[in-house]
Amino acid sequence: MRGGAARVFWLSCLLYAAVGLYLSLDVAYFQGDSLSRIAAARSALHSRDPHLAAIGFVFTPLTALMQLPLVALSDWWPALTRWGLTAVVMSAPFMAGAVTQVHLFARDRGASPWLVWTVTALFALNPMIVYYGANGMSEAPFLMLLCWATRRLVRWISTDDVHDLAVAGIAVGLAYLARYDALAVGAAVTVLAVAVTWWRTRVWRAALLDAILVAAPVALAFLVWAATSWLITGEALQQFSSSYGNAAILEQSGGGSTGGLGALAFSLAEILVLGPALPLLAPVVAVLAWRRRDLEPAVPFVVLGAVLAFAALSYFRGMTFPFLRFYLVAVPLAAMWVVQLAPRRGQLRARRLGAHATVRPQDRGTLAPVGALALAVSVPVTFVAMGNATLSQEQHALRTVLFPDPDDTSQLRDQENRIIASFGTERRIADHLDALDLPPGSVVMDTVYGFAVLTATDRPEQFVIPSDADFTRILNDPAANGVRYLLTVPNEGRGVSDAVNRRYPTVFETGADIATLDLEIPNDGDNQPTWRLYRIGLLPHVKMRARCASLTHSRMRAWRRARRWGYAPGRPWRW
């Protein structure tokens, strides 16, 4: 890594790590998806039945896999998972890598130093980039890999170096392991490679070879992940078929859209608040590219635009939630187009220049200062939008973190306080169970909601969870398998997919005649369930029935013995 790029990486990484530590240790504000990936990694290493497949196959594995080395230390230092530190350590370097790729993208273009550093700083300090670099979500690795793929494809347009094309394909393949959206990118990049190579050579065989080269990594990632899931679980695409998958979550939570112009308008609004400069940049970049005979501006549009199109289409069809982060690629798209307002200067170094490498013209005209100003305006626009509950469902509680107002008693402020308090109840449940000093396998719990309990506990082996090979057998007869408690949630909403509720539909309400209520824990978090801890054992009336049955059996045996010895009603015993 070049000197300037190394400084960019480490400064960005320190910034995101510092923000992440502040949110985790001081505010105790976590994203559920981040904690669930920590729980998956912990299940693979420190559960009753540790095995790599415990990471699960509903969501892609990269985010959890990258945390395994640090999660391995949580047996000695449980705070690493309790406070989400492993997730922060994962996302901060990845987002710093995205910033570094944007920086190198500008340097590859031959942009002036002021433009390189201005675009780098504005991208790195965008509030959505800072937040998702700090919170341990999958957006950080996904964005870094897409920026890497975009930069390499732009280089390939200029150098015709097969190495750049191959690296771009690898980056897209790895991006699929971070988010499923990368399938759309893989398809778009394949079409781009075919079009560019055929336009250059007019040879379909060459176009097909380049298409295979760039598409093979993402196709391999898709097939290996699906085949592994099928071999282990019997389902190839659990994201769609599993009761824990995205389709099931949407149905249980009532999320998604009903389609129509309203859904399209919402997606457009999300894109505009993240990239307000895009409507201005798009036609200008297109005209300049046509005038300069420059194909490079098409690459960010194809790679990053594919994600935006996929997000908008998915929401239109009711397949995703209305989350601002699904449109996050609008931020690097705007940054890269600002860089491409400046003319290409200099010649890129390559391992092996291809036959169709282009010589960069020395065009003196530039609109980069106007683009940089538009990019600077985008930062406060995005910051304000993040505080809007309609546009930013997952981030608007940050308004209460940054601007606390104890005198504000509005319903929205109360909701934001409850969002910030989310998962605090689960930490207290973990502390209560840890204090009981239970043996391994004492508490049956599904991780639909229980993931936050699993990340907070000092003793993960005390839980029986769905990734354990013997989970079904133990759930069918908990008393006979040494289980002492069931940790339950209401059988509604996402709770209908909870394995304990599916096996015992009335367990939360009545204990299902196998357990007695030990503790009820109302939840402080927003949209989080009330918990009930049931102690395994016979209910009082069940015990009485068992006792009466035993007594009746004893009397019957006595009567039969008496008849055998000649006893008759109304006469004394004869011995």
Side-chain angles (χ1 to χ4, degrees):
M1 194 183 298
R2 287 173 268 184
R7 287 193 294 271
V8 167
F9 175 83
W10 288 113
L11 287 174
S12 302
C13 188
L14 289 174
L15 170 64
Y16 303 145
V19 174
L21 292 176
Y22 165 71
L23 291 175
S24 299
L25 300 177
D26 189 41
V27 182
Y29 179 38
F30 305 97
Q31 290 282 346
D33 281 1
S34 176
L35 290 181
S36 70
R37 302 306 189 275
I38 299 173
R42 203 171 197 202
S43 299
L45 295 178
H46 297 307
S47 62
R48 289 175 54 256
D49 181 22
H51 56 285
L52 190 59
I55 286 179
F57 295 92
V58 173
F59 299 103
T60 45
L62 184 63
T63 307
L65 286 174
M66 296 303 297
Q67 297 184 54
L68 287 177
L70 206 54
V71 169
L73 304 177
S74 65
D75 215 18
W76 296 277
W77 191 16
L80 286 171
T81 58
R82 179 184 180 90
W83 301 108
L85 303 183
T86 61
V88 174
V89 174
M90 180 278 302
S91 64
F94 268 117
M95 194 60 86
V99 175
T100 304
Q101 290 300 320
V102 171
H103 176 80
L104 292 173
F105 180 91
R107 290 175 60 169
D108 288 346
R109 183 77 177 176
S112 302
W114 74 266
L115 181 59
V116 172
W117 289 103
T118 298
V119 171
T120 301
L122 290 174
F123 176 73
L125 297 176
N126 184 284
M128 281 289 285
I129 297 298
V130 173
Y131 181 59
Y132 281 95
N135 66 10
M137 298 274 281
S138 60
E139 273 63 31
F142 185 60
L143 206 63
M144 181 267 171
L145 292 166
L146 290 187
C147 289
W148 187 25
T150 304
R151 173 175 165 253
R152 283 294 185 169
L153 280 172
V154 168
R155 288 178 57 89
W156 173 69
I157 293 292
S158 178
T159 64
D160 195 28
D161 185 354
V162 69
H163 298 90
D164 287 322
L165 187 62
V167 171
I170 292 170
V172 177
L174 291 173
Y176 174 76
L177 299 180
R179 287 188 62 88
Y180 289 114
D181 311 41
L183 280 180
V185 178
V189 166
T190 302
V191 172
L192 176 69
V194 169
V196 171
T197 303
W198 184 85
W199 180 74
R200 284 172 167 173
T201 65
R202 295 299 194 274
V203 177
W204 282 110
R205 179 179 297 178
L208 181 60
L209 288 175
D210 281 351
I212 292 173
L213 185 65
V214 76
V218 68
L220 181 65
F222 172 80
L223 292 174
V224 169
W225 183 241
T228 305
S229 175
W230 179 74
L231 288 171
I232 294 176
T233 70
E235 297 179 0
L237 301 174
Q238 286 205 26
Q239 177 74 340
F240 305 102
S241 59
S242 170
S243 59
Y244 300 105
N246 189 69
I249 293 173
L250 279 166
E251 182 179 353
Q252 296 153 11
S253 305
S257 74
T258 57
L261 293 177
L264 294 177
F266 177 83
S267 295
L268 181 60
E270 299 285 78
I271 295 171
L272 290 179
V273 299
L274 288 170
L278 288 177
L280 171 66
L281 292 172
V284 175
V285 168
V287 169
L288 289 177
W290 179 264
R291 193 182 74 178
R292 296 166 177 166
R293 299 295 187 268
D294 184 5
L295 287 175
E296 292 181 9
V299 176
F301 175 75
V302 170
V303 178
L304 305 176
V307 179
L308 294 177
F310 179 81
L313 178 62
S314 299
Y315 184 65
F316 176 79
R317 297 185 60 189
M319 298 169 58
T320 58
F321 290 94
F323 292 160
L324 184 61
R325 60 187 170 94
F326 292 156
Y327 306 88
L328 187 58
V329 295
V331 180
L333 176 59
M336 290 178 175
W337 269 353
V338 167
V339 170
Q340 289 176 331
L341 289 176
R344 298 183 302 170
R345 292 192 175 92
Q347 186 65 40
L348 280 173
R349 295 181 181 178
R351 289 192 178 186
R352 186 180 65 195
L353 289 174
H356 300 280
T358 58
V359 179
R360 300 194 162 188
Q362 298 295 322
D363 188 345
R364 297 182 178 276
T366 179
L367 295 174
V370 178
L373 180 61
L375 195 63
V377 172
S378 302
V379 174
V381 172
T382 301
F383 182 75
V384 172
M386 287 176 67
N388 185 287
T390 301
L391 294 172
S392 182
Q393 291 189 13
E394 294 182 296
Q395 295 84 32
H396 69 91
L398 288 171
R399 183 174 67 103
T400 296
V401 174
L402 299 175
F403 308 108
D405 185 2
D407 298 327
D408 187 350
T409 59
S410 66
Q411 183 177 358
L412 178 59
R413 183 71 72 165
D414 178 66
Q415 182 194 28
E416 291 173 349
N417 286 324
R418 287 177 61 83
I419 291 174
I420 295 169
S422 293
F423 312 116
T425 300
E426 286 73 13
R427 290 193 295 274
R428 291 193 295 273
I429 292 173
D431 292 341
H432 173 74
L433 293 172
D434 289 347
L436 298 179
D437 196 23
L438 299 168
S442 294
V443 184
V444 171
M445 172 189 73
D446 199 337
T447 50
V448 170
Y449 283 111
F451 61 84
V453 178
L454 191 63
T455 60
T457 182
D458 292 349
R459 306 180 65 248
E461 70 280 357
Q462 69 186 310
F463 295 99
V464 181
I465 56 177
S467 61
D468 295 342
D470 55 358
F471 177 78
T472 301
R473 176 176 61 81
I474 293 176
L475 183 61
N476 283 333
D477 194 354
N481 288 282
V483 174
R484 299 188 184 182
Y485 293 98
L486 298 176
L487 191 56
T488 67
V489 295
N491 194 7
E492 59 187 25
R494 287 202 64 195
V496 300
S497 65
D498 186 287
V500 181
N501 283 334
R502 282 186 283 144
R503 177 61 181 84
Y504 305 106
T506 62
V507 64
F508 182 81
E509 297 297 334
T510 67
D513 285 345
I514 63 169
T516 55
L517 182 62
D518 191 70
L519 195 63
E520 180 173 288
I521 311 105
N523 210 307
D524 296 335
D526 181 64
N527 201 29
Q528 297 295 311
T530 295
W531 291 91
R532 285 185 180 176
L533 183 66
Y534 277 93
R535 186 190 300 270
I536 290 293
L538 294 177
L539 296 172
H541 69 276
V542 178
K543 290 181 179 178
M544 182 60 69
R545 283 204 305 268
R547 184 182 175 200
C548 292
S550 176
L551 184 60
T552 302
H553 181 66
S554 300
R555 287 177 175 173
M556 182 64 71
R557 291 177 60 192
W559 182 80
R560 287 175 179 169
R561 189 182 301 116
R563 289 292 300 271
R564 191 182 311 121
W565 291 341
Y567 169 76
R571 294 192 307 181
W573 281 96
R574 291 180 182 179
W575 298 96

